Amino acid sequence: MQPQFDKLIQKHFGGAENLSPEVLNLLNDLEQDFNQSSDAGPGLNLLMDNMPFGITLIDYQKNIIHANQGALRMMGYDSLDEIKGHLCHDTLCPAEANRCPILDLKQKVDRSDRILITKDKQKIPILKSVTPIIYEGKEILLEAFVDISEKTELEKAREAAFEKRGLLTANTNTIIKNLAQVENPEALMTTLVDEIYAHFWFERVQYFAFNPVAHNLRVTNVAGTDAATPMAQRAVLPVNVGAVGKAAGEREIHVAEKLDMVLERHPQMLVPGIKAQVALPIMVDNNLVGVLDIQATDEQALDADTILFLEILSIQGGILLESLERHAEVVAQFNELNSLQKKASIEGWLEFGEVNPLSSSRYIFDLEQNEALPASPETSSNGEVISRPLEVRGTVIGSLGIAENPDQPLSEEEKKLIESVSSEVAEALERARLFESSQRSASELAVLNEMGATFAQALTEEFINETVYTYTSKLMTTPQFYIAYHDPEEDMIYFPMVVINGERITEDHPDYQSWAPRPAGTGLTGYIIDKRMPILIDSNAEETLTKLGLPFLKTGGETQSFLGVPMLIGDRSLGVISVQSDHSADLYGRHHLDLLTTIASQAAVSINNTRLFQSEQERAQQERTVRTITDKVRRGTDTQQIMQIALEELSRALNADGSTIQLGKPEDLLKTNGKPIVAETQVQTVETEEG
């Protein structure tokens, strides 16, 4: 093509490759006409009138020479005659006189955004390019432009959407920040509802709490138009009905449809004139806790962007609710831990006092020797004693006192120093106690583990009894120790092991009668077996038992300390393990009770297993005896031989002096006064060799 055509095509279309085949054919025909002409006039007119966009020709006096059909349509003119010869700035350009961007201001217009004035003075946004050409022998301006109103509207829509997203983002961030300040889970949903109503453009925002038992939804929070109506009626909605119910049932966001039906069924739940509604489930740890309901009278109020940000808020609400609930749990656990620590500290010092009897310590500081010297309790001080409590986790474990020198009383700063030191001393004592307790616990655990391993080797009750005594003595003092067993068949209590001051009480001991078998339910041992509960008495046991009305049998001196625990297997009490002292009060405490209970528990299991093993052995031996007798009886060839074999084997197996077989009718074998009636029967009697 000619350079001028190439220039125009490149200028306005970006190259021939962007043109349709029909337009290219038209240009080829125009090229032939152009080759026969000295200017662009004839061919250009035809070209312009067939272009699908606007083209105008303007001379350098700013008069309109030509406008194609595309330009006339855009400006609203029916023919070229309506504008031909008119000044461009009065007709199609909003520029003022002598302010033409091209001719006066010498601007370059190349695909620039401009404004086109229509016949009715409307302004149309256009994309415009201006090129100087030769037309009918004159240099003029060719203006080509396209209507970009749709593009401009889209851009405006995009800008509006962008601006709205910015507003949504800002509002959402503000709401999330405000929600993060809420410390009470019950107040979170109220805040969420109020914040959404305050920062968005909805007529009503409400929250429905889900009741998993009744499987329905009850409104708990409402903000907006007629907010009091649903709250006053405490509206309840079923699951899977309406947008709210479906959001709850499906656990997904639900946009309302057929609002007129919902309004008819639940008029109090919808704003009058509502056009849009969305329901968003609030989930905590994959469990539904409620539904957030949003209503608007503007159909565009709940577009996709707005719903997206509402979804973010609903998710954030669930996260914050879960966080608050977890925080409440942590706080409760922390408080419980503090309480347990305080309790543990109290019990720890009580236990420490049981294991290590506490006493007051007094010292007098010797200025000459520059050290603190022990002082007897009788030593007195002339000055006032300044005392501060030794406190650990709210528990007072002692006190620290300083005796003032009457000639040099303590200043306030020195008193504050005593207070600070007392706090540090208390903490140091607590750490020391914990260390000693851990050391003792480790030692006790080692003893208990060793005892458990020893029990695993037990085959007899005698071995178990010795093991219990040995390891109990390692864990606590045992001035008097005994193990008692209950025989449920004879309903008697036996004392297979009694040790007093290290001496075993056997049948030849002078005190044996005090520990002879006795009927069940007798004394304190019988009481522990019957009630299946331990008894701990820290001082003057007999007096205490008398006041409590509990039974006891005096077996020696005046019992001062007593500790007895039952050996239990399920709800069965096998017996009792007890330690006691006739001389020392406060010898045993809760810690000793726990230790002896552990020993009794392991001992009971070991005893039960041993008895089961022995029973199994006896049963196996009996089965072997039955098989032996049966085999021999089956080898008998006649009645007499069979009876002879049976009698011999039974007598031998049972170590009996003799045995008898009677043959006859049942009614003839009935007993009278313990003697068998024998009538026409055969009797076979066999005596063993010993008999």
Side-chain angles (χ1 to χ4, degrees):
M1 287 188 180
Q2 294 295 325
Q4 190 154 359
F5 273 102
D6 288 339
K7 182 179 179 181
L8 288 172
I9 293 171
Q10 184 66 34
K11 182 79 172 178
H12 299 293
F13 303 104
E17 64 273 10
N18 295 325
L19 299 176
S20 65
E22 293 79 3
V23 174
L24 286 174
N25 291 334
L26 174 61
L27 292 176
N28 288 330
D29 294 339
L30 292 174
E31 183 180 13
Q32 296 177 3
D33 294 339
F34 185 80
N35 290 335
Q36 302 172 4
S37 175
S38 59
D39 59 43
L44 191 59
N45 286 339
L46 181 61
L47 174 64
M48 288 191 299
D49 288 338
N50 286 276
M51 288 296 99
F53 48 84
I55 296 178
T56 58
L57 301 179
I58 311 296
D59 63 20
Y60 276 51
Q61 286 72 43
K62 305 173 185 176
N63 296 314
I64 299 173
I65 300 174
H66 185 76
N68 72 344
Q69 293 299 314
L72 294 174
R73 280 194 303 272
M74 273 188 257
M75 291 186 289
Y77 293 104
D78 296 327
S79 68
L80 176 62
D81 294 338
E82 294 183 65
I83 61 172
K84 188 174 183 179
H86 291 205
L87 292 174
C88 61
H89 68 268
D90 287 337
T91 308
L92 57 87
C93 180
E96 299 176 357
N98 301 321
R99 298 286 297 172
C100 176
I102 309 300
L103 299 176
D104 297 324
L105 303 179
K106 306 304 180 182
Q107 294 179 356
K108 182 179 180 180
V109 179
D110 183 11
R111 295 185 184 180
S112 302
D113 290 343
R114 299 289 171 169
I115 297 297
L116 179 68
I117 304 299
T118 66
K119 182 178 180 179
D120 56 1
K121 302 306 178 181
Q122 296 293 318
K123 295 180 179 181
I124 299 176
I126 59 173
L127 185 65
K128 183 178 181 179
S129 294
V130 179
T131 304
I133 64 170
I134 303 298
Y135 180 77
E136 295 180 353
K138 297 179 181 179
E139 188 174 3
I140 63 171
L141 298 177
L142 183 149
E143 297 184 353
F145 48 87
V146 293
D147 186 350
I148 59 172
S149 298
E150 183 176 351
K151 175 186 174 185
T152 303
E153 291 301 321
L154 287 174
E155 289 179 351
K156 288 182 179 179
R158 290 193 191 98
E159 290 177 0
F162 182 78
E163 183 178 352
K164 184 177 181 180
R165 287 195 193 99
L167 180 61
L168 286 169
T169 301
N171 290 346
T172 300
N173 288 337
T174 299
I175 293 173
I176 291 175
K177 288 180 181 178
N178 292 338
L179 290 177
Q181 304 301 316
V182 179
E183 298 180 355
N184 186 353
E186 289 73 19
L188 184 68
M189 288 301 111
T190 300
T191 304
L192 178 60
V193 167
D194 292 342
E195 288 288 324
I196 291 177
Y197 180 73
H199 290 87
F200 284 82
W201 37 86
F202 311 125
E203 274 64 42
R204 183 187 289 174
V205 181
Q206 49 194 8
Y207 175 73
F208 291 82
F210 176 62
N211 185 335
V213 177
H215 203 62
N216 59 21
L217 300 143
R218 180 179 294 275
V219 65
T220 58
N221 307 97
V222 182
T225 305
D226 297 330
T229 302
M231 284 299 294
Q233 299 183 9
R234 301 295 294 174
V236 177
L237 292 180
V239 175
N240 292 320
V241 175
V244 175
K246 289 180 180 178
E250 299 169 5
R251 270 62 167 176
E252 293 181 355
I253 297 175
H254 196 85
V255 180
E257 298 177 355
K258 299 180 180 180
L259 291 172
D260 54 339
M261 294 179 60
V262 180
L263 184 61
E264 181 179 349
R265 294 179 183 177
H266 305 282
Q268 78 279 15
M269 299 316 304
L270 297 180
V271 175
I274 180 175
K275 299 296 182 182
Q277 181 188 19
V278 64
L280 307 100
I282 305 293
M283 308 292 292
V284 172
D285 196 21
N286 294 323
N287 295 317
L288 177 73
V289 296
V291 176
L292 187 64
D293 180 38
I294 311 294
Q295 301 176 23
T297 54
D298 181 4
E299 293 181 359
Q300 304 302 319
L302 287 169
D303 56 15
D305 285 343
T306 304
I307 292 177
L308 174 62
F309 280 90
L310 288 174
E311 182 179 9
I312 292 173
L313 286 173
S314 67
I315 294 173
Q316 189 67 25
I319 293 173
L320 289 173
L321 185 60
E322 181 179 8
S323 177
L324 287 175
E325 290 177 349
R326 294 283 173 83
H327 176 71
E329 292 176 1
V330 170
V331 170
Q333 292 172 357
F334 179 77
N335 291 335
E336 183 179 2
L337 178 61
N338 277 343
S339 177
L340 290 175
Q341 286 180 335
K342 182 176 180 180
K343 181 180 179 182
S345 181
I346 296 173
E347 293 180 350
W349 279 102
L350 290 175
E351 178 185 318
F352 186 81
E354 293 172 356
V355 179
N356 306 284
L358 300 176
S359 60
S360 299
S361 297
R362 297 192 67 200
Y363 293 88
I364 293 179
F365 191 78
D366 191 315
L367 294 176
E368 294 181 359
Q369 300 185 38
N370 195 31
E371 64 176 337
L373 302 177
S376 64
E378 293 78 16
T379 303
S380 61
S381 170
N382 295 328
E384 180 185 358
V385 176
I386 306 299
S387 179
R388 293 292 182 268
L390 299 176
E391 188 172 341
V392 177
R393 298 189 184 92
T395 301
V396 176
I397 62 172
S399 65
L400 174 65
I402 302 294
E404 285 186 304
N405 185 336
D407 299 328
Q408 294 179 342
L410 298 176
S411 66
E412 290 300 321
E413 291 297 323
E414 289 172 330
K415 292 179 180 179
K416 290 181 180 179
L417 175 62
I418 296 174
E419 190 169 338
S420 298
V421 170
S422 66
S423 176
E424 293 298 325
V425 169
E427 290 296 332
L429 288 172
E430 175 72 356
R431 288 192 295 271
R433 181 193 66 79
L434 290 174
F435 177 76
E436 292 182 23
S437 177
S438 64
Q439 293 290 95
R440 186 175 65 254
S441 296
S443 175
E444 291 170 349
L445 182 61
V447 172
L448 291 173
N449 288 337
E450 183 181 340
M451 182 186 69
T454 305
F455 276 144
Q457 306 170 17
L459 296 177
T460 64
E461 292 186 19
E462 290 76 11
F463 180 84
I464 295 172
N465 296 338
E466 290 292 340
T467 300
V468 170
Y469 173 66
T470 298
Y471 286 97
T472 301
S473 299
K474 290 183 178 182
L475 294 172
M476 64 189 75
T477 57
T478 55
Q480 295 183 29
F481 172 90
Y482 71 81
I483 297 176
Y485 289 129
H486 174 232
D487 186 339
E489 293 183 1
E490 298 183 5
D491 203 23
M492 294 288 289
I493 299 175
Y494 295 88
F495 296 86
M497 170 164 280
V498 179
V499 182
I500 298 178
N501 297 323
E503 184 180 2
R504 307 295 177 96
I505 306 300
T506 57
E507 293 184 2
D508 57 353
H509 194 279
D511 295 332
Y512 175 74
Q513 288 303 316
S514 299
W515 302 96
R518 65 183 66 157
T522 304
L524 193 54
T525 301
Y527 182 85
I528 295 174
I529 292 174
D530 290 343
K531 300 300 181 181
R532 300 189 296 277
M533 58 182 293
I535 289 182
L536 169 62
I537 301 174
D538 53 11
S539 63
N540 202 345
E542 296 174 7
E543 181 180 342
T544 302
L545 293 173
T546 301
K547 289 180 179 178
L548 294 176
L550 298 179
F552 69 92
L553 292 177
K554 191 170 183 179
T555 58
E558 298 291 337
T559 303
Q560 295 297 317
S561 301
F562 177 88
L563 173 60
V565 297
M567 293 182 285
L568 301 175
I569 290 292
D571 59 351
R572 292 187 297 119
S573 180
L574 303 184
V576 172
I577 301 175
S578 174
V579 290
Q580 57 186 353
S581 172
D582 291 344
H583 306 290
S584 302
D586 301 317
L587 192 59
Y588 307 110
R590 293 290 308 180
H591 183 65
H592 301 99
L593 172 61
D594 293 338
L595 287 174
L596 197 58
T597 299
T598 302
I599 295 172
S601 176
Q602 293 192 34
V605 172
S606 184
I607 292 168
N608 191 60
N609 290 341
T610 299
R611 290 177 177 177
L612 289 175
F613 177 73
Q614 293 174 347
S615 176
E616 184 65 21
Q617 282 188 320
E618 293 174 357
R619 186 187 63 80
Q621 179 61 39
Q622 185 178 14
E623 289 180 353
R624 286 194 296 270
T625 301
V626 171
R627 285 196 300 271
T628 299
I629 295 174
T630 301
D631 290 342
K632 291 183 177 182
V633 167
R634 286 176 178 174
R635 287 197 293 267
T637 57
D638 55 50
T639 305
Q640 190 65 27
Q641 185 181 13
I642 291 172
M643 289 190 294
Q644 181 73 22
I645 293 172
L647 291 173
E648 289 178 355
E649 294 299 328
L650 277 174
S651 298
R652 189 175 295 111
L654 300 177
N655 196 25
D657 293 336
S659 56
T660 302
I661 292 180
Q662 296 182 3
L663 299 179
K665 297 179 180 180
E667 58 272 17
D668 296 332
L669 299 177
L670 295 176
K671 295 182 178 180
T672 301
N673 296 326
K675 296 182 179 180
I677 298 176
V678 180
E680 300 179 356
T681 61
Q682 298 180 6
V683 179
Q684 177 70 38
T685 301
V686 176
E687 291 187 357
T688 61
E689 295 178 358
E690 293 79 358

